[in-house]
Structures are given as C-alpha cells and as structure tokens.
Amino acid sequence: MKLDILVFGAHPDDAELGAGATIAKEVARGKKVGIIDLTRGELGTRGSAEIRDREAAAAAKILGVSVRENLQFADGFFVNDQKHQMAVIRMIRKYRPEIVLCNAIDDRHIDHGKGSALVSNACFLSGLIKIDTKMEGDDQWQDPWRPKHVYHYIQWKNLNPDFVMDVSGYIDTKIEAILAYSSQFHDPNSDEPETPISSKNFLDSVNYRARDLGRIIGVDHAEGFTTERFPGIIGFDDLI
C-alpha cells in the first residue's frame, strides 16, 4: 500500500497530540495516511503496553488512517543507530510516502528528540540505492524511496513553527482520538499517579494552543510544524 503521508511517533498518542487534526483533515481530503509508533509506551506511569495497544487501535479508527504499526523499540532506551534506522527505512520503503511527519525536534521527553532525529536520518538513508532491505518473511528486495518532505510536529515545548496548518473543523476529532487513550488522560476510576499529561490543564492546553495558532493566521484552529528545508509555494495566493 502506498501512502501519501506517514506519521511517526515515539509513543502511542504522540501522533494524535502533535498532528491529530492535520491527520483527520488530510484523511477527509482523500489522502492515504498511516501511523508508525516506534515504541509501545511501556515505561509510561499510567496504563500498560497492552492497554495502549488497544487505545492506539481505537484512536486510529477515529482518525480514519489506513494503517497503524508498532516497531516495538525499547521505550526510553532506543537509540539512533544502524539497527533502528534500518527498521524505519523498511517502513518508509514499504509505504513510500510523499510526506513524513515525526516528533518534535526538541522536547521534554527524551524519546521525542531521539525519535525526531532517527526518523529524519532514516528518511535520507532510505533513498540510497546501496542500502539493501527486505521486509521480514519477504524474499523481494525493497526499492529505495525518499519522502519529498519531512515535517516535525510540536509537542510539549512551545517551539516556534515554520508553518501552521489550518485545521478548523477537525479539532473535535483530534480531541476524541486523544481521549481514546483513557489510561493516560481521563480515566476517572484510575488510582495511578497523576502525570503532567493527565491533568485537565494539559488537555485544555491542546485546545488553546490550536486556537492561538489559528488566531495568528485568522482561522479557528491550527497546528504548527517545523521543517528541515523551506517549503515552496507556486504563488502568493497559496498563503492564508
């Protein structure tokens, strides 16, 4: 299956928190979108890997993505080395996306910056013809593939975006997908410790960040991204 957009997240829920409304909008526009989680989030204070597997599947259904896979890297301890790069390269070559979205370049959680660099490096390496890869159980060699664009969504830290996406009309879908992770955000029956993301203030911040970014470009809601190279435009009419 060839995808238009492939979204990577270090943990289940990263994609939803950083780019959930953008994903929902692009799916509604007819784009084929997939999500690859690098880890199962097994070190999370609340919930468990098994619970988050189920929550991730529910969130994917809400967003309408075509596929969601998990590479099962070690939460907290994966590194940006050849072994992990090759695993990501296999996913890029499998789905051949035009655009890759991935973690924030700098963030509170150490896995976010690591995941950002790992995916970015793999996107470049995936285009090199002398790197040979096969999917497990498949005898056919994969063709090289390099996405046209790599964009990084914004997470905990308020990074300055290089561009913002108008996601007006899709913020409710984003919030619904986030709330699919009830173990992390809003389970009223949980007796597990509170975390920075389990507070009402955090959930409120998802909405008011989107409203503030939307305010800047004169729309209801927006999501921000940083980019590794300047995106081009055909003419000034492309700008809001």
Side-chain angles (χ1 to χ4, degrees):
M1 180 192 302
K2 185 185 185 313
L3 298 176
D4 299 299
I5 302 169
L6 187 56
V7 187
F8 286 88
H11 313 103
D13 75 23
D14 282 355
E16 290 84 355
L17 287 166
T22 296
I23 294 169
K25 178 178 181 176
E26 292 300 288
V27 169
R29 294 178 64 232
K31 300 293 186 181
K32 292 185 184 297
V33 183
I35 298 174
I36 305 292
D37 301 309
L38 301 183
T39 79
R40 298 173 72 200
E42 63 269 20
L43 294 185
T45 301
R46 297 162 65 94
S48 66
E50 292 74 21
I51 290 172
R52 292 184 80 170
D53 288 345
R54 296 192 294 270
E55 292 171 341
K61 186 173 182 180
I62 291 166
L63 293 175
V65 298
S66 299
V67 64
R68 185 168 205 158
E69 294 197 45
N70 195 301
L71 292 179
Q72 299 189 35
F73 295 166
D75 189 12
F77 294 100
F78 72 85
V79 294
N80 184 7
D81 65 1
Q82 182 179 356
K83 175 184 174 182
H84 292 84
Q85 290 166 358
M86 291 293 282
V88 176
I89 288 168
R90 290 185 187 95
M91 291 295 102
I92 294 168
R93 291 178 172 182
K94 177 179 180 179
Y95 291 114
R96 303 168 70 83
E98 304 298 323
I99 295 171
V100 162
L101 306 181
C102 58
N103 285 100
I105 57 173
D106 177 42
D107 213 38
R108 171 181 172 272
H109 197 300
I110 61 171
D111 281 354
H112 295 172
K114 285 193 297 180
S116 173
L118 168 59
V119 172
S120 178
N121 291 169
C123 284
F124 176 80
L125 293 169
S126 183
L128 300 181
I129 63 173
K130 292 185 177 179
I131 295 178
D132 296 325
T133 57
K134 293 179 181 179
M135 293 301 298
E136 186 175 351
D138 192 344
D139 292 332
Q140 185 173 353
W141 293 104
Q142 293 180 303
D143 292 327
W145 183 265
R146 183 175 294 147
K148 292 179 181 177
H149 303 284
V150 179
Y151 301 134
H152 303 263
Y153 44 82
I154 294 171
Q155 299 185 258
W156 182 271
K157 292 186 178 180
N158 288 322
L159 304 181
N160 289 323
D162 292 319
F163 68 91
V164 294
M165 172 78 76
D166 176 7
V167 294
S168 302
Y170 295 93
I171 195 68
D172 288 345
T173 305
K174 171 175 180 157
I175 297 299
E176 184 182 358
I178 291 170
L179 293 179
Y181 295 91
S182 60
S183 68
Q184 303 302 303
F185 299 110
H186 73 110
D187 184 355
N189 299 314
S190 176
D191 57 2
E192 294 179 293
E194 290 295 323
T195 69
I197 65 170
S198 68
S199 68
K200 182 177 183 299
N201 182 49
F202 176 78
L203 272 179
D204 289 345
S205 76
V206 173
N207 195 302
Y208 63 64
R209 172 186 276 169
R211 291 186 65 86
D212 190 51
L213 289 173
R215 172 188 62 82
I216 293 172
I217 61 170
V219 301
D220 289 338
H221 296 94
E223 288 180 327
F225 299 85
T226 63
T227 180
E228 300 181 17
R229 65 181 180 89
F230 296 123
I233 61 172
I234 301 301
F236 289 121
D237 290 342
D238 296 331
L239 299 172
I240 292 178

